[in-house]
Amino acid sequence: MSGNSDATLRAAVIDLDAVRGNLHAIRSFVGRDVAPAPLVMAVVKANAYGHGAIAVALAAQDGGVDWLGVADIDEALELRSAGVTAPILAWLHGQDADFAAAVAAEVSLGISSLAQLRAAAGAARALQRVASVQLKLDTGLSRNGVAASEWAEVFAVAREAELAGEVRVDGLFSHLSNASPADDAAQCALFDQGIAAAEGAGLSPALLHIAATAAALSLPAARYSMVRIGIGIYGLSPWGDALPAGLELVPVMTLTARVAAVRRVLAGTAASYDYTWRATRDTTLVLVPLGYADGIPRQASGRASVSIGGATHPVIGRIAMDQFIVDVGDAEVHPGDEVVLFGDPARGVPSAESWADAAGTINYEIVTRIGHRVPRSAR
Ligand SMILES: *Cc1c(COP(=O)(O)O)cnc(C)c1O
């Protein structure tokens, strides 16, 4: 990359080889010592955690992923329109969700209520197709999912709809709280009861899944027949920096910008809103054209660091909507030089996790919030 055109003012460089590599590494890791190995779903909701849904989904498909997961139907349809043919599950629906469009596009529906089950069956009937559904069971997270008190009724209605040729219950799933190992085990035990009850009602779902990245990597008993991997696909750890021994992942996103301005200032000079920073020595300030409108957390003001020319320098003063300032001391930095906010720490640049620490949040939020104004470019 060279020059300072708008296209390079800001860039999130997306390493699609790393997507495939992480998928492969996680598949091997979760399949060690178990036969058959669990299937792997790559979760590409929320624009693939900010990485670009279509590019990541196509890379995961190319890497042999078994399923793709998204929150809502519109996300699934966007992937289908882009030519993604892998199986897709969508699990979060509003009152007016377009189940007919989902059924027509062969998107499997996560079903969290009797009303949704009836809507899926109705859409299938109208289209004279069979709706693939996966019943989501609430096992303790208390978000969506069918409450245990309603399982019997939902399973019975699902079985009737199967016999009527309207739906096929391809899966049962749930989601963990990650509150503690004991809480996760209790949720798995309740999930087991749900599986038994569904089978008792005549259903035979092949896809049984409860684990997202954290449980997939740390709780073998939670792997069932599929694991749903979000953050791990993007090369980040659900626990911040740590990963289990024997698993290496490569961060997929490198967030960069080009230096917009360089200014030499005297000791005593203040900078950015509210003058939260003042130079204690003569120094050089560098202007970076990224701000909270681009998802750079304002809470990281005065706490995060960036890499310029291989050296790490502190972010000083308030992070503004479009820009922030870096104190580079006496380093020689020029307009147009590349600034790396975060990427693969193995390459000596800050990690998304370091920004999460600086902002008091989790790495998930750092990458997912990178905004529309930052072009994603595949590497
Ligand atoms: C987002 C999400 C995931 C992925 O979680 P990670 O911790 O990123 O692996 C899995 N399952 C459901 C239901 C989700 O909403």
Side-chain angles (χ1 to χ4, degrees), residues 1-350:
M1 278 194 287
S2 65
N4 193 17
S5 72
D6 277 357
T8 55
L9 188 61
R10 319 173 180 94
V13 182
I14 306 301
D15 183 350
L16 297 174
D17 283 340
V19 169
R20 286 179 283 260
N22 293 334
L23 178 61
H24 180 77
I26 291 167
R27 185 190 287 289
S28 306
F29 188 86
V30 300
R32 294 182 316 183
D33 321 325
V34 281
L39 299 178
V40 177
M41 171 187 286
V43 179
V44 296
K45 64 188 178 187
N47 198 27
Y49 292 36
H51 294 67
I54 292 169
V56 170
L58 288 171
Q61 180 173 290
D62 182 47
V65 81
D66 300 295
W67 277 80
L68 296 168
V70 293
D72 54 70
I73 290 170
D74 285 349
E75 293 180 304
L77 297 179
E78 184 193 4
L79 297 179
R80 283 282 180 261
S81 301
V84 173
T85 54
I88 304 177
L89 173 65
W91 57 68
L92 184 61
H93 316 295
Q95 201 63 27
D96 303 321
D98 192 348
F99 282 10
V103 173
E106 295 191 14
V107 173
S108 186
L109 292 165
I111 294 293
S112 284
S113 68
L114 197 55
Q116 288 180 357
L117 179 59
R118 294 212 156 105
R125 205 181 310 128
L127 289 165
Q128 300 199 306
R129 311 254 311 233
V130 181
S132 164
V133 302
Q134 303 190 38
L135 304 177
K136 184 162 195 189
L137 309 184
D138 180 25
T139 56
L141 194 57
S142 306
R143 295 197 321 198
N144 58 3
V146 180
S149 58
E150 295 170 0
W151 289 351
E153 186 183 13
V154 168
F155 295 157
V157 172
R159 182 59 187 151
E160 279 169 31
E162 272 193 343
L163 293 171
E166 294 165 352
V167 310
R168 201 178 53 241
V169 179
D170 285 328
L172 289 184
F173 71 114
S174 190
H175 196 45
L176 295 170
S177 65
N178 303 324
S180 71
D183 287 305
D184 286 350
Q187 283 192 255
C188 287
L190 193 52
F191 189 49
D192 288 337
Q193 289 179 26
I195 295 166
E199 287 171 349
L203 300 173
S204 44
L207 301 168
L208 304 172
H209 45 113
I210 193 167
T213 304
L217 299 185
S218 65
L219 196 65
R223 288 175 192 153
Y224 292 87
S225 66
M226 183 158 73
V227 293
R228 302 187 304 265
I229 308 295
I231 201 74
I233 293 289
Y234 307 103
L236 302 177
S237 164
W239 306 283
D241 278 335
L243 283 172
L247 178 66
E248 280 183 33
L249 301 177
V250 175
V252 170
M253 183 190 293
T254 301
L255 182 64
T256 69
R258 297 274 165 185
V259 170
V262 178
R263 160 190 317 270
R264 187 73 188 167
V265 299
L266 299 177
T269 305
S272 197
Y273 293 129
D274 305 332
Y275 285 175
T276 58
W277 178 90
R278 203 172 281 278
T280 55
R281 63 197 187 319
D282 295 0
T283 191
T284 299
L285 301 183
V286 155
L287 189 63
V288 180
L290 281 165
Y292 59 78
D294 305 299
I296 310 307
R298 186 171 175 276
Q299 294 93 325
S301 295
R303 300 165 57 96
S305 309
V306 302
S307 176
I308 304 175
T312 301
H313 300 287
V315 172
I316 58 98
R318 284 268 193 264
I319 292 172
M321 188 182 295
D322 313 301
Q323 47 193 292
F324 65 82
I325 299 171
V326 174
D327 178 3
V328 299
D330 295 326
E332 275 240 1
V333 175
H334 302 283
D337 285 357
E338 186 181 62
V339 182
V340 180
L341 281 75
F342 60 81
D344 183 355
R347 294 170 181 237
V349 298

